[in-house]
Amino acid sequence: MNLYALLESGFPKDKSACAIETHDGLYYSWEDLEGATSKMANLLLALDLPQGSRVAVQVEKSPEALFLYLATLKAGLVYLPLNTAYQAAEMEYFVGNAEPAVVVCSPKNYSWVSQVAKKSGTKHVFTLGDDRSGTLLEKAVPHLSKGKTVKRSDDDLAAILYTSGTTGRSKGAMLSHANLGSNAKVLKKFWAWKKGDVLLHALPIFHVHGLFVASHGALLNGSKMIWLPRLDTKELIKHMPRSTIMMGVPTFYVRLLLDSSFTKNTVKNMRLFISGSAPLLTETFNSFKERTGYTILERYGMSETAMLTSNPYEGRRIGGSVGLPLPKTKVRVIKENGKLCGVNEIGNVEVKGPNIFQGYWRMPEKTKEEFTKDGWFKTGDVGRWGGETSGGKVPKEYLCIVGRSKDLIISGGYNVYPKEIESFIDDMPGVDESAVIGIPHPDFGEAVMAVVVAKSGHSLNADSMIANLKGKIANFKVPKLIVIVSELPRNAMGKVQKNILRETYCT
Ligand code: MCA
Ligand code: AMP
């Protein structure tokens, strides 16, 4: 079934009801949402693209950007969202790898993005601004505001999400209509979406969390969304009294707690706070409970799998645990020798279920490596069942994520792959070598740090290196700190010992 048809089955009968309210006071009814989605879908259909064609989108958050996602589904094409922070070199890689038939970018980026797109053979480049400007909407105007949803089977691709994955360069995780649809249905029930729910939406819509978990929930439940372009604590506090659900990365909760105007009164209408994408510190979990009386529900997932586990809606939510496997999803924790871990034993987390992706785009070998022979996906996360957190004893059915076997930094919910940053730093003049690690950060949870060795006879300046990197890679990947050293610690095999660097800089 086409995922759009599934989502549409949840839209309310009263089409004049509000589907989206924006921060600047605009109201979009369900009729507006369906009409704009159909117009854009009909525009895409008029391009007469072969099945499986990708629509790559790098635009600022707006209701129209969400309608473009829905239109791509409705037209049976494959949606490929891209972080707005990506710069030319990053876009060249994604567009070159995915070879989209359509690219949609912000009007302000048209000159360079269209160059990148043309280089990869993309014929159709549209623009879409966050103020309803751009050629996409202009070209969609003459099209009908009604139309059939293109039939798609369960295994047909709905979206490709680029992720650093467990190793190597960014890979496109291929998600089918059924992968996303099954997860949306499970979450609707598991989190007890109700009539009258209002979702406070301040996440970006180019990742699983904001695009699928949050938006799908509201759409499938026919619920209104209060649509904020980005995290702005004051705006969250302003709109929260009229909302019932919020989803955020841990930084959302850290920042809310720093604001003294965030009180019990702010949350008086809320029923559910959900956190994910990165570990929520038990300190934040406890302080939030103390301030508001609410227990944050933490859940765990990946781009390749959508949501895997969640603390319960009814029942005990435990700080430091990501909860129980979701219905239909199987989770196991495995020792290095392939045996199942017992309670409180640490091992690799592997998963199975209808939500697990179809593989990495054009990387069959990589895909094979990431699955076990008996079909379990290796998450690259390290966990245990039960045990103890600072909140007390954890029941044996609850999963705790204790680390990662993959060399990955998660900063404010964004993944950063150290190898990629190291290669940019190593290419800089005067640099001999570098090692990138994650260090604790009070706001982002983890922050990127680089330890760099200069070539002999050269001197390096950390500040100018940071400034230089800002022009080349997405800002969230740029190290917040660069330290210049005379050499990197190495083991007998000559491998850089990042554990020693972490011990040195993480305290
Ligand atoms: C912005 N900066 C960052 C980050 N965001 N640096 C490191 N990590 C970040 N996440 C940079 C800015 O460019 C700026 O740099 C400086 O840090 C301060 O920015 P600030 O204005 O404070 O940032 P912000 O605009 O308030 O954004 C912070 C944020 C945002 C709200 C945490 O990053 C965010 O919305 N993160 C959510 C990511 C997300 O949705 N992840 C879900 C992935 P300068 O000072 O140089 O200009 S999906 C997923 O992980 C799975 C499937 C799951 O389980 O959900
Ligand atoms: P991505 O594939 O970019 O969406 O990132 C997925 C990764 O985020 C997972 O493999 C975990 O390492 C991490 N992650 C997501 N949710 C949580 C959570 N609640 N606690 C700890 N790590 C998480």
Side-chain angles (χ1 to χ4, degrees):
M1 180 186 199
N2 187 313
L3 173 63
Y4 181 75
L6 172 73
L7 298 172
E8 196 183 27
S9 70
F11 295 177
K13 289 213 170 61
D14 176 9
K15 302 290 180 215
S16 65
C18 182
I20 297 182
E21 177 188 330
T22 65
H23 69 294
D24 49 358
L26 291 179
Y27 288 80
Y28 292 75
S29 66
W30 289 92
E31 189 180 357
D32 295 333
L33 178 149
E34 287 184 337
T37 298
S38 292
K39 275 179 180 285
M40 288 188 213
N42 289 332
L43 167 65
L44 292 172
L45 285 169
L47 302 177
D48 205 16
L49 303 169
Q51 180 170 350
S53 296
R54 279 80 57 209
V55 178
V57 178
Q58 192 200 32
V59 298
E60 299 299 329
K61 186 176 175 183
S62 69
E64 289 74 18
L66 180 70
F67 306 155
L68 172 58
Y69 162 58
L70 296 175
T72 306
L73 293 178
K74 191 174 166 74
L77 301 170
V78 181
Y79 193 69
L80 199 162
L82 293 162
N83 195 320
T84 47
Y86 292 147
Q87 309 233 6
E90 292 154 316
M91 286 294 282
E92 256 173 48
Y93 171 74
F94 294 121
V95 173
N97 190 259
E99 295 183 321
V102 179
V103 168
V104 185
C105 66
S106 299
K108 64 175 191 305
N109 295 337
Y110 178 78
S111 58
W112 67 268
V113 177
S114 59
Q115 296 292 329
V116 170
K118 283 195 181 118
K119 229 163 108 183
S120 300
T122 304
K123 291 215 175 67
H124 309 281
V125 182
F126 298 102
T127 58
L128 176 64
D130 57 2
D131 54 357
R132 294 166 301 289
S133 61
T135 57
L136 182 80
L137 296 180
E138 281 165 25
K139 294 251 160 61
V141 167
H143 289 273
L144 287 178
S145 57
K146 277 200 168 14
K148 280 211 172 86
T149 296
V150 173
K151 279 212 166 61
R152 284 292 173 252
S153 63
D154 283 357
D155 291 343
D156 285 335
L157 290 195
I160 297 179
L161 267 88
Y162 274 86
T163 162
S164 41
T166 48
T167 49
R169 195 120 202 220
S170 207
K171 298 179 280 293
M174 301 189 286
L175 293 154
S176 69
H177 287 266
N179 290 149
L180 297 172
S182 68
N183 211 236
K185 283 193 278 186
V186 162
L187 293 177
K188 178 178 173 188
K189 205 159 164 203
F190 203 79
W191 292 339
W193 278 85
K194 291 178 180 22
K195 201 164 183 268
D197 267 334
V198 176
L199 175 74
L200 187 51
H201 194 306
L203 283 161
I205 55 165
F206 39 69
H207 284 305
V208 165
H209 199 163
L211 184 63
F212 302 149
V213 188
S215 307
H216 285 177
L219 292 165
L220 189 58
N221 196 52
S223 284
K224 170 173 151 177
M225 290 188 253
I226 297 183
W227 196 252
L228 308 183
R230 54 180 290 275
L231 172 59
D232 173 332
T233 317
K234 288 284 175 227
E235 285 283 311
L236 277 190
I237 293 171
K238 180 173 146 198
H239 294 286
M240 204 173 284
R242 294 184 302 114
S243 311
T244 64
I245 304 186
M246 189 187 83
M247 301 188 197
V249 298
T251 304
F252 278 44
Y253 298 101
V254 169
R255 290 195 188 170
L256 279 170
L257 286 167
L258 285 176
D259 194 313
S260 58
S261 67
F262 178 63
T263 63
K264 277 210 162 83
N265 208 28
T266 321
V267 301
K268 62 182 183 218
N269 208 19
M270 291 292 292
R271 78 170 176 86
L272 188 55
F273 290 97
I274 298 176
S275 176
S277 307
L280 179 75
L281 294 180
T282 25
E283 189 191 320
T284 312
F285 175 87
N286 291 334
S287 309
F288 198 85
K289 196 167 180 179
E290 219 166 272
R291 174 89 66 93
T292 64
Y294 279 85
T295 309
I296 298 173
L297 179 155
E298 186 173 7
R299 64 24 167 216
Y300 155 67
M302 294 181 75
S303 299
E304 289 93 335
T305 64
M307 297 303 98
L308 294 163
T309 71
S310 169
N311 274 275
Y313 180 67
E314 307 274 7
R316 233 178 113 201
R317 297 181 200 157
I318 300 175
S321 164
V322 293
L324 313 153
L326 284 165
K328 299 195 172 136
T329 300
K330 289 188 192 143
V331 179
R332 68 182 191 186
V333 182
I334 289 279
K335 293 183 204 172
E336 287 307 329
N337 64 9
K339 295 229 160 67
L340 286 177
C341 287
V343 176
N344 205 14
E345 281 183 337
I346 290 175
N348 296 314
V349 178
E350 297 181 350
V351 295
K352 225 181 201 181
N355 48 321
I356 310 304
F357 73 135
Q358 309 293 299
Y360 293 113
W361 171 253
R362 290 179 179 165
M363 289 187 185
E365 284 310 311
K366 195 83 233 163
T367 304
K368 218 163 130 194
E369 273 171 35
E370 303 297 333
F371 282 87
T372 63
K373 285 206 176 75
D374 52 346
W376 292 77
F377 175 60
K378 304 174 195 166
T379 63
D381 291 310
V382 176
R384 57 152 212 268
W385 296 111
E388 192 100 20
T389 69
S390 54
K393 204 168 155 44
V394 180
K396 63 180 189 326
E397 306 76 33
Y398 282 61
L399 182 71
C400 296
I401 300 293
V402 297
R404 295 166 209 138
S405 59
K406 52 197 174 190
D407 193 10
L408 177 74
I409 301 165
I410 305 186
S411 177
Y414 287 141
N415 289 5
V416 183
Y417 181 59
K419 262 233 146 43
E420 184 191 1
I421 316 306
E422 286 160 7
S423 70
F424 274 98
I425 295 177
D426 294 350
D427 282 348
M428 293 170 96
V431 172
D432 185 21
E433 59 172 353
S434 63
V436 166
I437 55 168
I439 51 169
H441 190 277
D443 187 30
F444 295 130
E446 268 185 301
V448 179
M449 174 192 179
V451 186
V452 182
V453 179
K455 276 193 179 127
S456 94
H458 287 78
S459 70
L460 293 169
N461 178 294
D463 290 339
S464 47
M465 287 178 78
I466 288 175
N468 183 318
L469 283 168
K470 279 189 177 172
K472 290 191 179 137
I473 49 175
N475 234 352
F476 66 87
K477 296 182 190 170
V478 175
K480 300 275 184 252
L481 178 68
I482 293 184
V483 173
I484 316 291
V485 297
S486 56
E487 60 179 346
L488 295 173
R490 291 184 184 279
N491 64 15
M493 314 287 289
K495 199 169 177 262
V496 175
Q497 292 170 300
K498 287 200 173 175
N499 54 330
I500 295 188
L501 293 177
R502 286 189 198 102
E503 276 163 28
T504 312
Y505 297 106
C506 289
T507 43

Coordinates of all heavy atoms in Angstrom, one line a residue, residues 162-165 207-208 275-280 298-304 322 379-381 401 403-404 406 408 410 413-415, ligand 2:
Y162 N 20.1 9.4 3.8 CA 21.5 9.2 3.9 C 21.9 9.2 5.4 O 21.5 10.0 6.2 CB 22.3 10.2 3.1 CG 22.4 9.8 1.7 CD1 21.4 10.0 0.8 CD2 23.5 9.0 1.3 CE1 21.5 9.6 -0.5 CE2 23.6 8.6 0.0 CZ 22.6 8.8 -0.9 OH 22.7 8.4 -2.2
T163 N 22.7 8.2 5.8 CA 23.2 8.1 7.1 C 24.6 7.6 7.2 O 25.1 7.0 6.2 CB 22.3 7.0 7.9 OG1 23.0 6.6 9.0 CG2 22.1 5.8 7.0
S164 N 25.3 8.0 8.2 CA 26.7 7.6 8.3 C 26.8 6.1 8.5 O 27.8 5.4 8.3 CB 27.4 8.3 9.4 OG 26.6 8.4 10.5
G165 N 25.6 5.5 8.9 CA 25.6 4.0 9.1 C 26.6 3.5 10.1 O 27.0 4.3 11.0
H207 N 15.1 14.4 8.6 CA 15.6 13.1 9.3 C 14.3 12.3 9.7 O 13.2 12.9 9.8 CB 16.4 13.4 10.5 CG 17.8 13.9 10.1 ND1 18.6 13.1 9.3 CD2 18.6 14.9 10.5 CE1 19.8 13.7 9.2 NE2 19.8 14.9 9.9
V208 N 14.6 11.1 10.1 CA 13.6 10.2 10.6 C 12.7 10.8 11.7 O 11.5 10.7 11.7 CB 14.2 8.9 11.0 CG1 13.3 8.0 11.9 CG2 14.7 8.1 9.8
S275 N 11.5 11.6 23.9 CA 12.9 12.0 23.5 C 13.6 10.9 22.8 O 13.3 9.7 23.1 CB 13.7 12.3 24.8 OG 15.1 12.6 24.5
G276 N 14.5 11.2 21.9 CA 15.2 10.2 21.1 C 16.3 10.8 20.2 O 16.5 12.0 20.2
S277 N 16.9 9.9 19.5 CA 18.0 10.3 18.5 C 19.4 10.3 19.2 O 20.4 10.2 18.5 CB 17.8 11.6 17.8 OG 16.6 11.7 17.2
A278 N 19.4 10.4 20.5 CA 20.7 10.5 21.2 C 20.3 10.1 22.7 O 19.1 10.3 23.1 CB 21.3 11.8 21.1
P279 N 21.3 9.7 23.5 CA 21.0 9.4 24.9 C 20.5 10.6 25.7 O 21.1 11.7 25.6 CB 22.3 8.9 25.4 CG 23.3 8.8 24.3 CD 22.7 9.5 23.2
L280 N 19.5 10.4 26.4 CA 18.9 11.4 27.3 C 19.6 11.2 28.7 O 19.5 10.1 29.3 CB 17.4 11.2 27.5 CG 16.7 12.2 28.4 CD1 16.6 13.6 27.7 CD2 15.3 11.7 28.7
E298 N 11.5 7.9 26.7 CA 12.6 7.8 25.8 C 12.4 6.6 24.9 O 12.0 5.5 25.3 CB 13.9 7.7 26.5 CG 15.1 7.7 25.6 CD 16.5 7.8 26.2 OE1 16.6 7.7 27.5 OE2 17.5 7.9 25.5
R299 N 12.8 6.8 23.6 CA 12.7 5.7 22.6 C 14.0 5.6 21.8 O 14.8 6.6 21.9 CB 11.4 5.8 21.8 CG 11.2 6.9 20.9 CD 12.3 7.6 20.4 NE 12.3 8.5 19.3 CZ 13.3 8.6 18.4 NH1 14.4 7.9 18.5 NH2 13.3 9.6 17.5
Y300 N 14.2 4.6 21.0 CA 15.4 4.4 20.3 C 15.1 3.9 18.9 O 14.2 3.1 18.7 CB 16.2 3.4 21.1 CG 17.3 2.6 20.4 CD1 18.4 3.2 19.8 CD2 17.2 1.2 20.3 CE1 19.4 2.4 19.1 CE2 18.1 0.4 19.6 CZ 19.2 1.0 19.0 OH 20.2 0.3 18.4
G301 N 15.9 4.4 18.0 CA 15.7 4.0 16.6 C 16.9 4.4 15.7 O 17.9 4.9 16.2
M302 N 16.8 4.1 14.4 CA 17.9 4.5 13.5 C 17.2 4.8 12.2 O 16.1 4.5 11.9 CB 18.7 3.2 13.2 CG 19.5 2.7 14.4 SD 20.5 1.3 13.8 CE 21.8 2.0 12.9
S303 N 18.0 5.5 11.3 CA 17.5 5.8 10.0 C 17.2 4.5 9.2 O 16.3 4.5 8.4 CB 18.6 6.6 9.2 OG 18.8 7.8 9.8
E304 N 18.0 3.5 9.4 CA 17.8 2.2 8.7 C 16.5 1.4 9.2 O 16.1 0.5 8.5 CB 19.0 1.3 8.9 CG 20.2 1.7 8.2 CD 21.1 2.6 9.0 OE1 20.6 3.2 10.0 OE2 22.4 2.6 8.8
V322 N 16.0 2.6 27.1 CA 15.2 3.0 25.9 C 14.0 2.2 25.8 O 13.3 2.2 24.8 CB 16.1 2.9 24.6 CG1 17.2 4.0 24.6 CG2 16.7 1.6 24.4
T379 N 23.0 -3.2 14.4 CA 22.8 -1.7 14.6 C 24.1 -1.0 14.8 O 24.1 0.2 14.6 CB 21.9 -1.5 15.8 OG1 22.6 -1.9 17.0 CG2 20.5 -2.1 15.7
G380 N 25.1 -1.6 15.3 CA 26.3 -0.9 15.7 C 26.2 -0.3 17.1 O 27.1 0.4 17.5
D381 N 25.1 -0.5 17.7 CA 24.9 0.0 19.1 C 25.2 -1.2 20.1 O 25.0 -2.3 19.7 CB 23.5 0.5 19.3 CG 23.3 1.8 18.6 OD1 24.1 2.7 18.7 OD2 22.3 1.9 17.8
I401 N 21.0 1.3 26.1 CA 22.1 1.5 25.2 C 23.3 2.0 26.0 O 23.1 3.0 26.6 CB 21.7 2.5 24.0 CG1 20.5 2.0 23.3 CG2 22.9 2.7 23.1 CD1 20.6 0.7 22.5
G403 N 26.6 2.1 24.6 CA 27.7 2.7 23.8 C 27.5 2.3 22.4 O 26.4 1.9 22.0
R404 N 28.5 2.5 21.6 CA 28.4 2.2 20.1 C 29.7 1.5 19.7 O 30.8 1.9 20.1 CB 28.4 3.5 19.3 CG 27.1 4.3 19.6 CD 27.2 5.7 19.0 NE 26.4 6.6 19.8 CZ 26.7 7.8 20.2 NH1 27.9 8.3 19.9 NH2 25.9 8.5 21.0
K406 N 30.3 1.4 16.5 CA 30.6 2.2 15.4 C 31.3 3.5 15.8 O 30.9 4.0 16.9 CB 29.4 2.5 14.5 CG 28.2 3.1 15.4 CD 26.9 3.0 14.7 CE 25.8 3.5 15.6 NZ 24.4 3.2 15.2
L408 N 31.2 6.8 15.8 CA 30.2 7.8 15.5 C 30.0 8.8 16.6 O 30.0 8.4 17.8 CB 28.8 7.1 15.2 CG 27.6 7.9 14.9 CD1 27.7 8.5 13.5 CD2 26.3 7.0 15.1
I410 N 27.3 11.7 18.1 CA 26.0 12.2 17.9 C 25.9 13.5 18.7 O 25.9 13.6 19.9 CB 24.9 11.2 18.4 CG1 25.0 9.9 17.7 CG2 23.5 11.8 18.1 CD1 23.9 8.9 18.0
G413 N 21.7 15.4 18.3 CA 20.8 14.5 17.5 C 21.3 14.4 16.1 O 20.7 13.6 15.3
Y414 N 22.4 15.1 15.7 CA 22.9 14.9 14.3 C 24.1 13.9 14.4 O 25.0 14.1 15.3 CB 23.4 16.2 13.7 CG 22.3 17.1 13.3 CD1 22.5 18.5 13.5 CD2 21.2 16.7 12.7 CE1 21.5 19.4 13.1 CE2 20.2 17.5 12.3 CZ 20.4 18.9 12.5 OH 19.4 19.8 12.1
N415 N 24.2 13.0 13.4 CA 25.3 12.1 13.4 C 26.5 12.7 12.7 O 26.4 13.3 11.6 CB 25.0 10.8 12.7 CG 24.0 10.0 13.6 OD1 23.6 10.4 14.6 ND2 23.7 8.8 13.1
Ligands
AMP2 P1 20.7 7.7 12.6 O1 20.9 6.4 11.9 O2 21.5 8.8 12.1 O3 19.3 8.1 12.6 O4 21.2 7.5 14.1 C1 20.8 6.4 14.8 C2 21.6 6.2 16.1 O5 21.2 7.2 17.0 C3 21.4 4.9 16.7 O6 22.1 3.8 16.1 C4 21.9 5.2 18.1 O7 23.3 5.1 18.2 C5 21.4 6.6 18.3 N1 20.2 6.7 19.1 C6 18.9 7.0 18.7 N2 18.1 7.1 19.7 C7 18.8 6.9 20.9 C8 18.5 6.8 22.2 N3 17.3 7.1 22.7 N4 19.6 6.6 23.1 C9 20.8 6.4 22.6 N5 21.1 6.4 21.3 C10 20.2 6.7 20.4

